[in-house]
Amino acid sequence: MIWWLKARSVPAVAAALLAVYLMAILVRQEAIPVPAVAGPSGQLLVTQILGVFPVVLLLHGLGRGDTVTEQVALRHNGRRNAALCVSFALVAIALAAGVQLLWDRPEALSLARNCVGFLGTALIVRAAVGPGIAAICVAALPLACAAAGRRPGGSAQPWAWPLHEPLSYLGAGEATFLFALGCALVGWGNRPLLDPLARTA
């Protein structure tokens, strides 16, 4: 089991998760400008994009190993991967609750929601076209939402859940739905339908 956790880069993922929450405590409302597709140019809070880093590391860990060999192993690898993803989400939520209680940083709540939603999105794309394209998509998602997901008044569109307020029930619901669907797909099987970026022998 220890080897399996190391193979999935769990220590690196845990360190990255702790690091992004420490950054969330420090940067708070720091934002980067993002040109808008339509309407006024928007901003993307640093805390709204931080969740990409641990998710991409976890996605890389899930993609390691020989999927053909793991599929015929006695253990059910899909369930273990799904359990790892659920554990990641629970730790992200627990860290956000701790940061909010100790330092009153609502940005940590949106960070937790985005970690969960980014992971769900990555797992869905991974099941279709492999982990390489999934990592690219999840990294581009918050930038795409910031560029095209704002109304003329500046508020976030309903579909642009990474930009929603920390206590938005709609944003939390969308992220939870994506995560549940992604976990179901990763529990069902580890091989994508199509993987254009896969290494061929």
Side-chain angles (χ1 to χ4, degrees):
M1 187 65 184
I2 293 174
W3 176 88
W4 187 87
L5 292 173
K6 286 183 178 178
R8 293 299 184 270
S9 303
V10 171
V13 172
L17 198 56
L18 286 172
V20 296
Y21 276 95
L22 287 174
M23 287 188 67
I25 294 169
L26 296 174
V27 300
R28 299 202 69 178
Q29 293 290 327
E30 293 293 325
I32 54 175
V34 178
V37 174
S41 61
Q43 289 187 331
L44 182 65
L45 295 178
V46 173
T47 52
Q48 291 172 333
I49 199 171
L50 281 176
V52 167
F53 300 106
V55 166
V56 169
L57 279 175
L58 179 57
L59 191 64
H60 172 70
L62 292 174
R64 295 175 74 181
D66 183 358
T67 57
V68 175
T69 303
E70 289 183 341
Q71 277 190 332
V72 298
L74 291 176
R75 64 184 182 273
H76 195 293
N77 202 52
R79 283 199 291 263
R80 284 191 177 191
N81 285 339
L84 178 59
C85 293
V86 171
S87 299
F88 173 87
L90 292 175
V91 171
I93 292 168
L95 285 172
V99 169
Q100 173 64 11
L101 288 173
L102 293 174
W103 291 286
D104 190 24
R105 298 287 194 270
E107 299 86 7
L109 301 177
S110 64
L111 175 57
R113 177 199 65 213
N114 288 0
C115 281
V116 171
F118 290 156
L119 180 56
T121 304
L123 294 176
I124 293 167
V125 178
R126 173 183 179 269
V129 289
I133 294 178
I136 295 169
C137 290
V138 79
L141 176 61
L143 297 173
C145 288
R150 298 236 181 235
R151 292 178 172 139
S155 61
Q157 296 279 2
W159 57 265
W161 54 267
L163 307 181
H164 285 202
E165 293 297 320
L167 297 178
S168 166
Y169 292 117
L170 178 60
E174 291 176 6
T176 302
F177 172 77
L178 291 169
F179 178 73
L181 180 56
C183 283
L185 290 172
V186 81
W188 177 60
N190 199 38
R191 298 187 72 182
L193 296 175
L194 178 68
D195 194 350
L197 301 183
R199 295 187 297 269
T200 55

